[in-house]
Amino acid sequence: MGEFTDKVSAAANKVAGKIKEEVGKATDNERLEAEGEAQQLKGTGQDVKGSVKGALGDKI
């Protein structure tokens, strides 16, 4: 995957994770809230990965 693909995936995971987290809070569902937080972290990791690829010119 290239930088752009990683960043798009990151954004999607961050948004989906935030939605899950908020729904979990609203419904008092701790498991869903935790899943949302984890998905947001995954998105952050993908964002960092995309930034590294961009800095290295997609050579990794």
Side-chain angles (χ1 to χ4, degrees), residues 8-58:
V8 169
S9 295
N13 274 315
K14 287 179 181 180
V15 170
K18 187 66 175 172
I19 291 169
K20 281 183 183 179
E21 181 183 6
E22 293 302 319
V23 170
K25 285 180 183 177
T27 60
D28 202 25
N29 183 333
E30 292 178 7
R31 193 193 90 201
L32 187 59
E33 189 176 344
E35 284 179 13
E37 290 172 358
Q39 191 166 2
Q40 288 179 75
L41 287 173
K42 178 181 178 183
T44 300
Q46 288 172 317
D47 201 17
V48 170
K49 180 180 171 186
S51 295
V52 169
K53 282 184 178 180
L56 297 177
D58 290 335

Side-chain angles (χ1 to χ4, degrees), residues 1-7 48-60:
M1 277 198 250
E3 174 187 8
F4 179 74
T5 306
D6 286 337
K7 294 220 176 233
V48 170
K49 180 180 171 186
S51 295
V52 169
K53 282 184 178 180
L56 297 177
D58 290 335
K59 293 179 183 174
I60 58 169

